[in-house]
Amino acid sequence: MNDVGVILPALNAARFLPQLIAEIRLLHPDFRVLVVDDGSADGTAQVARDAGAEVAVHPENRGKGAALQTGFAWAREHGWEWAFTMDADGQHLPREMAPFLAAAQARGLDVVVGTRMDRTADMPWLRKATNVFTSRVVSRLAGVRIPDSQNGYRLFRVSALEGLRVTTSRYDFESEVLVRLARRGARIDSVPTTTVYGEERSAIHPLRDTVRFFRLVRRLSRTREQERP
């Protein structure tokens, strides 16, 4: 595949980026790497540049969804055909990129979503329960099985994102984009990924982001029929 890039939405991720970017560039030297610094206060943007990545900067924190939208717009403007999204804190392994690309090519997919749900022995029980529940809801709204809808490790056909309208800009964006793409007829499937937990600290606010998710579900439920192709 040609013109493949990686979007890393980053908030105060300076300590993780050098190793992550180095691994991506070692394994896939032809891939573009874009770090979207979403209002960091730890020099994330400069660290990313020093590591060889391209950088887009939000002067103030706007949310992971907004960072991904900036990345998707960058991918379209720079002629990428495929865009990976990965967390910037090392939870996603660059060595697992190849199965995403193979699945997309072999199955004619527009979106490939990583799934950790086949390997949950080390996953905290609350996170597992939350992932199971939200994935069932998102799958029902999308009309396609997505076993790990909260997994940010994904591969998108950039042309499938053209003209996509979303209403969210935080963590709920990752659910919304899957539902709206599925309703437009995008072909979505999953590949297994490894569960990695280290020194990272989640930026998810349990109460606030749960409320946002249920608000999104309500909106998507009301517009189900209008969005069907």
Side-chain angles (χ1 to χ4, degrees):
M1 292 182 179
N2 298 319
D3 301 314
V4 180
V6 184
I7 300 168
L8 302 175
L11 175 62
N12 297 324
R15 61 177 173 152
F16 302 107
L17 286 173
Q19 180 177 348
L20 177 58
I21 294 170
E23 289 181 9
I24 294 171
R25 293 172 64 83
L26 176 65
L27 293 168
H28 301 283
D30 295 333
F31 285 11
R32 310 276 291 274
V33 180
L34 171 70
V35 173
V36 182
D37 180 354
D38 189 33
S40 299
D42 66 345
T44 283
Q46 189 58 52
V47 168
R49 292 189 186 97
D50 292 343
E54 300 171 90
V55 177
V57 177
H58 293 172
E60 297 179 354
N61 178 259
R62 292 165 49 189
K64 186 178 183 182
L68 288 171
Q69 290 189 67
T70 294
F72 291 154
W74 180 288
R76 291 194 299 271
E77 291 167 7
H78 289 78
W80 296 11
E81 182 179 359
W82 295 91
F84 277 97
T85 63
M86 299 175 68
D87 290 350
D89 58 10
Q91 284 200 59
H92 301 146
L93 302 178
R95 67 173 180 264
E96 295 184 336
M97 286 180 164
F100 283 80
L101 294 166
Q105 192 166 35
R107 305 177 208 169
L109 303 176
D110 300 300
V111 185
V112 185
V113 184
T115 176
R116 302 157 290 182
M117 303 313 290
D118 293 335
R119 310 170 184 174
T120 59
D122 297 327
M123 184 179 291
W125 71 268
L126 181 58
R127 182 174 296 193
K128 179 179 178 180
T130 300
N131 284 1
V132 169
F133 172 76
T134 55
S135 296
R136 286 176 179 171
V137 173
V138 171
S139 296
R140 185 174 301 172
L141 290 168
V144 61
R145 183 173 180 269
I146 303 171
D148 191 3
S149 66
Q150 304 309 299
N151 195 335
Y153 201 173
R154 303 173 177 186
L155 175 66
F156 292 89
R157 188 189 302 271
V158 174
S159 61
L161 298 164
E162 188 69 35
L164 186 70
R165 295 184 179 182
V166 295
T167 62
T168 55
S169 63
R170 299 285 173 175
Y171 283 97
D172 43 358
F173 173 87
E174 293 185 292
S175 297
E176 182 177 15
V177 71
L178 292 178
V179 173
R180 294 201 185 277
L181 283 172
R183 290 181 177 183
R184 295 206 315 183
R187 294 156 293 183
I188 302 173
D189 207 345
S190 301
V191 295
T193 58
T194 302
T195 302
V196 180
Y197 299 113
E199 300 178 10
E200 74 284 344
R201 295 181 62 184
S202 176
I204 294 176
H205 187 286
L207 178 58
R208 185 168 56 218
D209 287 309
T210 297
V211 170
R212 286 187 177 124
F213 177 77
F214 281 108
R215 286 176 177 169
L216 171 65
V217 169
R218 183 173 59 189
R219 289 197 302 273
L220 291 173
S221 297
R222 290 174 176 172
T223 60
R224 185 191 305 265
E225 295 306 319
Q226 298 95 304
E227 294 182 65
R228 291 296 181 189

